[in-house]
Amino acid sequence: MIPRRPALAAAAVAVAAGAVALTVAVWPDGGTAGDAAPSARTPAPSASRSAASPAPSKSYALSETPATIPAVREHEAARGPGWKPGGGGRVVVGDGELADEGKLLAGELKLKYAGDADPRKGDVELALTPEEADASEGRDESYTLSVKGQRVKITAPEEAGVFYGTRTLKQEVHGGRTAPEGVVRDRPAKPQRGFMMDIARKHFDAKWIEDRIREIGDLKYNQLGLHFSDDQSFRIESDSHPEVVSRDHLSKAEVRRILKLAASRHITVVPEIDSPGHLGAVIAAHPSLQLRDTRGVASRGAVDISKPQAAEIVDDLLEEYADLFPGRYWHLGADEYQALTVGNPEASYPQLAAAAREKYGSGARVQDLATGWLNDRAETMRPYERGLRAWNDGFFRGGVAKADDDLDVAYWTGKEIGAREPVEYLKEGRDLVNYNDEYLYYVLGQPNTFRYPTGQRIYEQWTPRVIRGTKPVSAEYDDQILGGSFAVWCDIADAQTQEQVAKRIRMPLRATVQRLWDSRTPGPSWGNFVKLADQVG
């Protein structure tokens, strides 16, 4: 598919890959549709004009496509003055379920919230149209935004779509701009658009997390991943195992406030308790669970999965936090289990080999025991009806035990020992979420071979089908690629302050969501995209 590239007006940059109609509106005075409405076009005086002749009407050029991040996918241009928030303007809702979205928008645009009042000139109307839902989608996040007769109407089959429409409107009028006349019909290319934070290795305070929720909500992200347990720390208050919790941590009250704010922005928080590796904080409180080889050498962060107590503690934590986090998704981790990074796991860890043979038969290996661990943790979570995912290096080729079919692959790297190509998982029929560490990993301190990703590289080179390295998989697998996630990892925690992190991920976040919302090649240059980011807030 060849994307249509939007034109660039002299006074405004329009981002709209694949827009239905794109026009550059130039008023007689040289202004554009993104500015104020034009004055009446008044002809020169004429001796032949009768005093009774009607006054001339205003004349408007066709509107321009709205300039937003992410870009709207379709815009039907029209002639008219557009819309600006002003005195007397209100937000009205056609359904009580939209009260939260209406009140939020009214506060942001300094309008009055008028509930279910009849809409009038100057108003923004929000309404649900469930009869228009796309039955082929699990969730329908589409919306329509119409600007006509100095009124705005945003409709969608579901509340999330209405919310996204309000985000488009908020950007359109930011900085005193005018929402252009016409109709926007918009929808995301990918259903999962995520931002993941490693809050285990580095403590981020609740306010900082809440600020990121507001930021990514305005960009139409719909997931926030929280990796809150690792070798260094365990960062959320626990009732079942308070002994594992680090000094600097989030209280459950703070987490509930974070969850409430996220829900108001239609963002699902995706928790992750990584296991059976990356459990150093748990091991510090329970040293008997430490995995050791035949020489007695400890494997960093790895619990001995032949010991039932290891599973008991992790399951206690999973069940406790499943009650705290109500979202639709859960991340089980399963990456970098150190027993599987040695040349001969069965020789180095005979206790694991023996447990594997006892559970799965004489031909079983340590990788089968690790697969069984993953399946058992999935079974712990199934009563909570969550969509489950695990890192790609927790799924193994061959073996006796197979990972359960309903586990999605969170693909982050092809650099681990035995790492499999993305196509292997896709050919098995698995769904996949793209965390490609070549583009989407922001690792503090840049250890090993990591380099800070740039927004420009994401914007110009990455698509959701670029899962490993720099080459895309075949388009035939597009429907199995559920989306992607930009991830901040804090391997060298003190390399940046939380304020520096927020500043430096600003453009990578915007580039990532542009490609997740519409994976076609964007029209504007990177330089113009950066200018637009400053323009829309």
Side-chain angles (χ1 to χ4, degrees), residues 426-464:
L426 296 168
K427 283 183 176 178
E428 292 173 359
R430 291 193 186 275
D431 289 339
L432 183 150
V433 181
N434 188 334
Y435 291 77
N436 187 342
D437 65 349
E438 182 74 24
Y439 293 95
L440 305 180
Y441 262 35
Y442 190 94
V443 185
L444 296 195
Q446 303 184 115
N448 303 320
T449 59
F450 288 109
R451 294 295 178 265
Y452 292 128
T454 67
Q456 182 173 2
R457 191 160 180 253
I458 296 168
Y459 184 77
E460 295 178 344
Q461 299 178 16
W462 181 79
T463 76

Side-chain angles (χ1 to χ4, degrees), residues 195 212-221 223 267 509:
F195 170 48
R212 301 290 73 70
I213 289 171
R214 294 184 182 94
E215 178 182 8
I216 67 174
D218 282 354
L219 295 170
K220 304 186 180 82
Y221 279 89
Q223 291 184 11
I267 293 170
L509 281 174

Side-chain angles (χ1 to χ4, degrees), residues 80-92:
W83 181 89
K84 272 187 176 183
R90 307 173 304 167
V91 177
V92 301

Side-chain angles (χ1 to χ4, degrees), residues 116-154:
D116 60 358
D118 291 334
R120 66 192 186 197
K121 185 176 179 179
D123 285 354
V124 178
E125 179 186 3
L126 311 181
L128 290 172
T129 53
E131 68 278 2
E132 297 178 2
D134 185 345
S136 68
E137 300 289 339
R139 296 176 67 192
D140 191 331
E141 296 180 295
S142 66
Y143 69 91
T144 300
L145 186 157
S146 175
V147 179
K148 182 179 181 181
Q150 296 182 47
R151 280 173 48 187
V152 178
K153 185 172 184 178
I154 299 172

Side-chain angles (χ1 to χ4, degrees), residues 252-506:
K252 286 190 174 180
E254 288 176 316
V255 171
R256 291 187 183 99
R257 289 197 297 273
I258 288 168
L259 292 169
K260 183 178 179 180
L261 178 63
S264 75
R265 267 61 175 180
H266 295 273
I267 293 170
T268 297
V269 177
V270 184
E272 181 192 357
I273 299 177
D274 204 347
S275 76
H278 295 280
L279 283 172
V282 171
I283 293 169
H286 298 273
S288 64
L289 301 182
Q290 175 74 67
L291 176 65
R292 296 182 181 276
D293 65 13
T294 53
R295 300 167 298 164
V297 176
S299 296
R300 185 183 181 192
V303 294
D304 187 331
I305 58 177
S306 69
K307 295 182 176 181
Q309 189 188 5
E312 291 169 4
I313 289 177
V314 172
D315 284 348
D316 286 346
L317 294 168
L318 289 173
E319 290 170 346
E320 176 181 0
Y321 293 109
D323 289 333
L324 178 63
F325 291 94
R328 302 170 61 207
Y329 303 102
W330 193 279
H331 201 316
L332 293 169
D335 64 313
E336 297 182 315
Y337 187 49
Q338 293 301 301
L340 295 170
T341 63
V342 300
N344 189 336
E346 288 70 35
S348 296
Y349 302 98
Q351 74 277 29
L352 301 184
R357 291 191 296 271
E358 181 179 352
K359 187 171 184 177
Y360 296 107
S362 59
R365 296 176 292 165
V366 172
Q367 75 169 47
D368 297 302
L369 193 66
T371 298
W373 171 280
L374 174 60
N375 289 342
D376 288 346
R377 307 293 75 75
E379 190 63 28
T380 297
M381 292 301 301
R382 284 206 177 85
Y384 300 96
E385 300 181 340
R386 307 297 164 80
L388 302 174
R389 69 185 64 162
W391 297 114
N392 63 287
D393 49 326
F395 296 79
F396 306 107
R397 182 187 293 115
V400 177
K402 304 294 183 183
D404 290 342
D405 291 339
D406 61 346
L407 297 178
D408 293 342
V409 177
Y411 199 101
W412 72 280
T413 189
K415 301 170 186 174
E416 295 294 302
I417 294 175
R420 301 161 64 191
E421 292 286 345
V423 169
E424 287 193 43
Y425 305 98
L426 296 168
K427 283 183 176 178
E428 292 173 359
R430 291 193 186 275
D431 289 339
L432 183 150
V433 181
N434 188 334
Y435 291 77
N436 187 342
D437 65 349
E438 182 74 24
Y439 293 95
L440 305 180
Y441 262 35
Y442 190 94
V443 185
L444 296 195
Q446 303 184 115
N448 303 320
T449 59
F450 288 109
R451 294 295 178 265
Y452 292 128
T454 67
Q456 182 173 2
R457 191 160 180 253
I458 296 168
Y459 184 77
E460 295 178 344
Q461 299 178 16
W462 181 79
T463 76
R465 289 197 290 114
V466 179
I467 300 168
R468 171 175 171 163
T470 60
K471 295 182 179 180
V473 299
S474 169
E476 68 186 284
Y477 300 115
D478 192 63
D479 288 345
Q480 290 173 247
I481 302 168
L482 303 178
S485 183
F486 186 83
V488 172
W489 294 99
C490 302
D491 291 39
I492 303 177
D494 294 334
Q496 293 179 10
T497 65
Q498 61 181 18
E499 291 77 18
Q500 289 172 324
V501 173
K503 179 179 179 180
R504 294 174 186 179
I505 65 174
R506 180 174 177 269

Side-chain angles (χ1 to χ4, degrees), residues 67-108:
T68 62
I69 297 176
V72 301
R73 299 184 69 181
E74 297 178 11
H75 178 250
E76 182 181 325
R79 299 179 188 274
W83 181 89
K84 272 187 176 183
R90 307 173 304 167
V91 177
V92 301
V93 298
D95 192 302
E97 295 178 20
L98 298 175
D100 289 342
E101 288 77 11
K103 291 175 182 177
L104 175 63
L105 183 67
E108 291 171 329

